[in-house]
Amino acid sequence: DGGITQSPKYLFRKEGQNVTLSCEQNLNHDAMYWYRQDPGQGLRLIYYSQIVNDFQKGDIAEGYSVSREKKESFPLTVTSAQKNPTAFYLCASSILSGVTYEQYFGPGTRLTVT
Amino acid sequence: AQSVAQPEDQVNVAEGNPLTVKCTYSVSGNPYLFWYVQYPNRGLQFLLKYITGDNLVKGSYGFEAEFNKSQTSFHLKKPSALVSDSALYFCAVRVPTNTGGFKTIFGAGTRLFVKA
């Protein structure tokens, strides 16, 4: 997990509340990503950013928002509009957004909404 | 549609035996293929990748993968399994997006159990 930190490791929220998940990297990577992991479904892309102040929707962006004000940081907000927010959230980064570059992952945040 | 399939939810192997975790893909254009491993409650770790060149790719922890273009497969292999190899393995393919960037499509994952 080296170089990417996610906090907190576990997060509990009441339904209807927005919650922000932190992701910080010190790898000097340009590209950053947010994924959601559900049992048996692999990873699904929520948002990605190739450069500061720019980001793109992934496959399941509805109910989520992001910002990329600094190269090192890519926080994810899970809004009350997300119908089923309980999941394991993974942040990742890569040197560039190019096709040959592998991704480095943080340790994840497990969000439980009741 | 571009996709990655891991046909086995779980693979069981005895320690010391060879292991294979299967992956097939469907992409337009050249495939850029990756394997990642995930230990419980952790993020994914990169194992190896195929970009071009030799069809047999070697990676971390003694793993290797064989790219087969005619069968559109990229199976992960290891000659002698260890109990510590027990984890969740993901095959992935990198594809271009319609906004000029790239994204990674992951398979659903295969859980490997290595029994002592």
Side-chain angles (χ1 to χ4, degrees):
Chain A
D1 304 334
I4 301 182
T5 57
Q6 290 185 245
S7 60
K9 189 172 180 66
Y10 297 96
L11 191 55
F12 298 89
R13 280 293 182 271
K14 295 290 187 184
E15 194 173 317
Q17 293 179 334
N18 291 356
V19 59
T20 297
L21 282 59
S22 169
C23 176
E24 303 278 332
Q25 54 101 355
N26 62 4
L27 300 169
N28 200 32
H29 286 176
D30 286 303
M32 297 188 74
Y33 312 81
W34 273 106
Y35 293 93
R36 171 183 171 134
Q37 184 177 17
D38 295 284
Q41 293 194 48
L43 277 67
R44 293 182 289 168
L45 181 65
I46 305 172
Y47 269 97
Y48 65 99
S49 169
Q50 301 177 75
I51 196 169
V52 174
N53 292 323
D54 184 55
F55 49 82
Q56 306 292 336
K57 292 182 178 180
D59 300 316
I60 56 165
E62 185 174 351
Y64 299 97
S65 66
V66 293
S67 63
R68 186 86 186 277
E69 297 177 2
K70 299 186 299 181
K71 188 175 185 177
E72 304 79 20
S73 179
F74 191 42
L76 173 74
T77 296
V78 184
T79 75
S80 56
Q82 168 50 231
K83 299 299 182 190
N84 186 19
T86 294
F88 189 50
Y89 291 87
L90 288 163
C91 179
S93 70
S94 62
I95 295 174
L96 291 171
S97 179
V99 70
T100 64
Y101 299 105
E102 64 269 23
Q103 293 170 301
Y104 294 76
F105 284 81
T109 292
R110 189 167 297 279
L111 173 65
T112 301
V113 177
T114 58
Chain B
Q2 306 194 89
S3 64
V4 173
Q6 294 181 242
E8 303 155 316
D9 291 335
Q10 183 171 311
V11 170
N12 298 309
V13 64
E15 189 174 35
N17 283 0
L19 70 86
T20 298
V21 182
K22 296 180 180 177
C23 172
T24 59
Y25 63 90
S26 174
V27 299
S28 54
N30 294 322
Y32 301 97
L33 298 156
F34 299 77
W35 275 102
Y36 292 86
V37 60
Q38 184 180 32
Y39 297 98
N41 294 312
R42 303 290 298 276
L44 278 67
Q45 296 176 35
F46 167 73
L47 279 178
L48 50 80
K49 64 183 175 183
Y50 173 82
I51 303 302
T52 187
D54 194 349
N55 289 344
L56 185 63
V57 179
K58 294 188 182 297
S60 306
Y61 312 120
F63 283 93
E64 57 190 28
E66 186 170 10
F67 171 67
N68 187 316
K69 188 172 184 178
S70 63
Q71 297 186 8
T72 62
S73 66
F74 189 55
H75 300 333
L76 181 70
K77 300 181 180 183
K78 187 173 183 181
S80 179
L82 299 172
V83 172
S84 57
D85 292 330
S86 298
L88 186 58
Y89 290 81
F90 289 97
C91 182
V93 63
R94 200 119 163 99
V95 298
T97 68
N98 55 13
T99 56
F102 293 90
K103 68 175 184 179
T104 304
I105 300 174
F106 289 86
T110 297
R111 190 163 297 281
L112 173 67
F113 285 102
V114 181
K115 185 175 180 181

